[in-house]
Amino acid sequence: MTSNARVALATCSVLPDLDADDRPLVDALVARGVDAAAVVWDDPSVDWSAFDLVVVRSTWDYSARRDQFLAWADSVPHLLNSADVIRWNTDKRYLRVLEEAGVPVIPTIWLDPERHLSKRAIHTRMPAFGDFVVKPVVSAGAKDTGRYQPISAESRALAIMHANELLISGRWAMIQPYVTSVDTAGETCLVFVDGEHTHAVRKNALLTGPSRPTQGLYQEEVMTPFEASEAQVEVARRALDAAAKELGTSEPLLYARVDLVTRDDGTPMVIELELTEPSLWMQFSGDAKAAERLADAIVARLA
């Protein structure tokens, strides 16, 4: 069924051969009779219609030009995850949908650039107690994201400046309380392939202070294998169910990653739902067969 099938694994020009974690997927697909190759998403010479399927992987330079990325996604005939999923998921206001569906998420204050908020108005929307985070609704890899302390006049001034710069540039901004459990327990990232939970990893804290320019595509992350609890898997599934309902689909996504943190009372809550181009951390799967599982799911969609 897959003889002569061609699959492109979309990446970015900084990683033309894919991220190291994704490279075993090429061999896994070839072993299944698929002609698979990494292809740079914004390469104008590529004929995307020549591929039977295009799988979004390490397209990690899109956030500064989301409109171009969405136009590309719309132009690709057979894209996974789909253009509709990408459009919805690349703007963090999707968290509102999860919250309305009863999925536990971090409480968020949303700042709309169209409201032309003054610095004083921004100031009044920031927490009076506890560290907090300021970031844009379109970002990746903790870029343009900073952690601030309300009791420090200098830190609060930096936070106001950060949010104001985002708004002036026409970008929505979001303010969230910093979840202190991240400092000790990190984030838990649950990976799903074809709707099934396959493995999880623990990610160390990234935010230690104000927003600063990030070298490269993203801040480096320290990951370790982790076994998710039943409660964490349940919250992750609820988030995916809410996404499916919002997107009007009953078919499982090819891949998904649900990133969770822990409330003070121990309840898991969603910090991000990654359906566009998440690292799947296949090297950390317990049985080292993550690439094979993903390859099987891709092949099934070629049948």
Side-chain angles (χ1 to χ4, degrees):
M1 296 291 288
T2 60
S3 178
N4 300 319
R6 298 188 68 202
V7 171
L9 303 176
T11 185
C12 61
S13 59
V14 180
L15 297 167
D17 298 317
L18 296 171
D19 179 64
D21 191 63
D22 279 323
R23 289 174 197 151
L25 180 58
V26 176
D27 292 337
L29 287 168
V30 170
R32 288 157 175 76
V34 176
D35 179 7
V39 186
V40 175
W41 74 269
D42 58 350
D43 182 346
S45 68
V46 176
D47 177 10
W48 297 100
S49 66
F51 295 98
D52 298 286
L53 198 60
V54 178
V55 179
V56 180
R57 291 311 312 127
S58 41
T59 57
W60 296 336
D61 59 353
Y62 82 86
S63 62
R65 45 197 174 121
R66 177 174 176 257
D67 288 347
Q68 180 184 349
F69 186 61
L70 294 180
W72 168 79
D74 286 335
S75 73
V76 177
H78 306 289
L79 185 68
L80 292 175
N81 287 326
S82 73
D84 287 344
V85 172
I86 290 170
R87 184 175 300 279
W88 182 74
N89 185 239
T90 50
D91 185 320
K92 291 182 176 62
R93 283 176 288 178
Y94 67 75
L95 290 169
R96 290 171 160 179
V97 173
L98 303 188
E99 185 175 30
E100 289 168 1
V103 178
V105 300
I106 299 176
T108 303
I109 296 168
W110 306 93
L111 303 182
D112 180 354
E114 294 298 321
R115 296 193 62 184
H116 305 290
L117 297 172
S118 66
K119 290 183 179 179
R120 180 175 179 78
I122 294 171
H123 168 81
T124 62
R125 285 162 171 77
M126 290 182 171
F129 304 98
D131 288 10
F132 62 93
V133 173
V134 176
K135 58 185 174 182
V137 299
V138 179
S139 68
K143 272 201 166 187
D144 299 324
T145 300
R147 175 181 173 182
Y148 302 95
Q149 297 79 40
I151 61 173
S152 163
E154 179 184 4
S155 181
R156 196 172 186 87
L158 288 172
I160 294 168
M161 182 173 66
H162 180 187
N164 190 54
E165 287 176 349
L166 292 174
L167 295 173
I168 288 174
S169 68
R171 305 167 74 184
W172 276 73
M174 50 197 295
I175 303 172
Q176 296 178 320
Y178 183 77
V179 180
T180 56
S181 65
V182 172
D183 291 332
T184 54
E187 296 178 24
T188 301
C189 308
L190 283 71
V191 176
F192 290 77
V193 173
D194 212 13
E196 295 299 321
H197 172 53
T198 58
H199 61 284
V201 297
R202 176 61 58 84
K203 178 166 62 175
N204 286 0
L206 285 176
L207 298 180
T208 57
S211 174
R212 296 183 176 89
T214 300
Q215 298 297 317
L217 294 175
Y218 51 85
Q219 293 189 39
E220 291 295 330
E221 299 170 323
V222 179
M223 316 298 298
T224 53
F226 184 79
E227 184 172 347
S229 68
E230 290 185 9
Q232 288 173 322
V233 174
E234 191 266 338
V235 167
R237 290 195 182 280
R238 286 170 59 191
L240 291 173
D241 289 345
K245 184 176 180 179
E246 176 69 14
L247 291 163
T249 178
S250 59
E251 296 296 322
L253 297 171
L254 175 63
Y255 55 81
R257 199 185 82 202
V258 187
D259 296 352
L260 305 176
V261 292
T262 306
R263 287 176 175 163
D264 291 341
D265 64 2
T267 303
M269 59 182 171
V270 175
I271 185 169
E272 287 197 351
L273 177 60
E274 300 273 8
L275 310 180
T276 301
E277 30 64 74
S279 294
L280 298 177
W281 304 114
M282 292 187 282
Q283 61 186 297
F284 293 111
S285 65
D287 57 6
K289 292 183 178 180
E292 284 75 13
R293 281 192 289 270
L294 183 55
D296 285 338
I298 292 170
V299 169
R301 284 160 170 77
L302 290 167

